Amino acid sequence: MENVSRFGHVVMLGPTNAGKSTLLNRLIGQKISIVSPKPQTTRNSISGIITQGDLQAVFLDTPGLHRQKRGIAPLLLRSAYAALGQADVVLLILDAAQYARRLDGLAPDLRPIVKAVGDGRLPVLIALNKADVVREKARLLPVLAAVSEALPAAELFPISALTGLGVDDLLTALMSRLPEGAHQFDPDEVSTAPVRFLAAEIVREKLFLALGEELPYSTAVTIEDWDERSKPGLTKIRAAIHVARESHKPMVIGKGGERLKDVGQKARADIEEMLGGQVFLELWVKVRPDWTDDRAFLRDLGLGQ
Ligand SMILES: Nc1nc2c(ncn2[C@@H]2O[C@H](COP(=O)(O)OP(=O)(O)OP(=O)(O)O)[C@@H](O)[C@H]2O)c(=O)[nH]1
Ligand SMILES: [Mg+2]
């Protein structure tokens, strides 16, 4: 055990869908950040706090680096790079399985990252995630070689955020890179995000999983009402699902309201687990035309200035 107190921010950066949020949840040991197989799931920087004796780290899960120019993608990109301003340690997460199949996808993904963190100012650790899917481990070698050529000072860790493989070693290495400093949170705190925000995120996750390819990107969720007082042990939550067009509304609601009901049931179960109590969750769908261009609303969502 070290005697010196260490504290710092670990910024998790990487291409979209690499498994950043899955890794954050694995590190914290509970679900804080939402996960889906679709790209651009994470929209805000989500914090998770880990305290191990004299060591305390705030992990910031960021929106994936995505080259798309449409919709809110550029905002998400800006927010990911903005998080770097707070970094004491950088954790890059790459989908090793994807590159093991096609190394040619690696260079364009790495270029902006090298530009942002390759100056050697901050310690950089790289998690080559999804190692569980790479059956022939030899396939990882060219990926390792390419990454260490691009970022020679970085330390590499093949891991699986899904199975936990290699994650303990990665965490030990990350915590040992923290600068000296006083802890800023109670040891039992797991996130700086308010539970209301996390609840809205849970609803958004269920929507991402329930909806097709395009629609998730034009939905947003806000908490309209949160009542813990009217009945002890019960939290009544009213959440609005914002869609960009009238025609999206029936798609979210589904035939006979089935889809919305399903989203609501799944979200309620997760929110109950998070709050450790009973939840009554009411969802309603609101049309907010072209909200992805509405700066004031984006600000309310914590996106953009
Ligand atoms: N097989 C496997 N799948 C993984 C692993 N880590 C994450 N995934 C899957 O990869 C998909 C994307 O995971 P996320 O954690 O949402 O990825 P992300 O990097 O946060 O993505 P964005 O928020 O969209 O940038 C999900 O379907 C995860 O279940 C892993 O180690 N192995
Ligand atoms: Mg994510």
Side-chain angles (χ1 to χ4, degrees), residues 59-126:
F59 284 76
L60 289 175
D61 177 19
T62 63
L65 307 177
H66 198 270
R67 277 164 277 161
Q68 192 189 318
K69 298 250 172 350
R70 284 190 308 134
I72 59 173
L75 266 186
L76 300 187
L77 199 62
R78 220 177 305 149
S79 124
Y81 283 120
L84 265 184
Q86 298 184 57
D88 298 296
V89 179
V90 177
L91 172 59
L92 284 187
I93 295 107
L94 301 172
D95 179 343
Q98 177 196 340
Y99 304 127
R101 284 191 300 273
R102 281 189 57 228
L103 254 191
D104 55 340
L106 185 54
D109 280 357
L110 276 179
R111 222 169 286 131
I113 292 172
V114 171
K115 210 169 138 200
V117 301
D119 59 4
R121 197 176 58 85
L122 294 170
V124 178
L125 282 74
I126 303 178

Side-chain angles (χ1 to χ4, degrees), residues 4-76:
V4 38
S5 169
R6 290 180 184 276
F7 175 83
H9 288 85
V10 178
V11 172
M12 308 173 75
L13 211 62
T16 186
N17 221 32
K20 299 175 294 299
S21 302
T22 309
L23 179 59
L24 179 69
N25 295 338
R26 163 72 59 181
L27 289 166
I28 303 294
Q30 75 183 64
K31 174 114 159 223
I32 290 184
S33 196
I34 67 171
V35 168
S36 92
K38 298 189 171 75
Q40 286 192 289
T41 302
T42 304
R43 285 184 186 162
N44 304 66
S45 293
I46 312 281
S47 75
I49 306 167
I50 296 184
T51 308
Q52 293 179 330
D54 298 320
L55 312 172
Q56 184 171 73
V58 178
F59 284 76
L60 289 175
D61 177 19
T62 63
L65 307 177
H66 198 270
R67 277 164 277 161
Q68 192 189 318
K69 298 250 172 350
R70 284 190 308 134
I72 59 173
L75 266 186
L76 300 187

Side-chain angles (χ1 to χ4, degrees), residues 119-253:
D119 59 4
R121 197 176 58 85
L122 294 170
V124 178
L125 282 74
I126 303 178
L128 291 169
N129 192 31
K130 309 198 188 182
D132 60 298
V133 217
V134 185
R135 251 176 264 131
E136 283 174 65
K137 296 300 168 213
R139 283 184 176 263
L140 279 179
L141 296 176
V143 184
L144 288 162
V147 174
S148 46
E149 193 187 316
L151 287 161
E155 281 180 83
L156 299 178
F157 295 82
I159 66 153
S160 168
L162 203 63
T163 68
L165 174 97
V167 171
D168 285 347
D169 287 348
L170 171 66
L171 180 60
T172 307
L174 284 165
M175 300 300 273
S176 73
R177 298 298 181 281
L178 297 171
E180 287 185 24
H183 293 191
Q184 291 184 9
F185 300 95
D186 280 348
D188 55 358
E189 278 183 79
V190 292
S191 179
T192 59
V195 282
R196 287 172 193 225
F197 170 75
L198 296 177
E201 283 288 277
I202 289 171
V203 175
R204 205 164 62 75
E205 178 186 71
K206 304 311 169 199
L207 275 175
F208 256 64
L209 296 172
L211 298 173
E213 287 303 310
E214 297 291 328
L215 205 51
Y217 304 106
S218 47
T219 61
V221 178
T222 55
I223 302 294
E224 309 281 289
D225 193 38
W226 186 283
D227 169 15
E228 300 167 347
R229 298 218 175 140
S230 51
K231 202 173 157 200
L234 177 77
T235 309
K236 286 190 192 168
I237 303 168
R238 203 164 122 86
I241 297 171
H242 304 265
V243 295
R245 297 213 178 107
E246 194 64 48
S247 61
H248 293 166
K249 209 169 161 176
M251 294 194 258
V252 171
I253 293 170

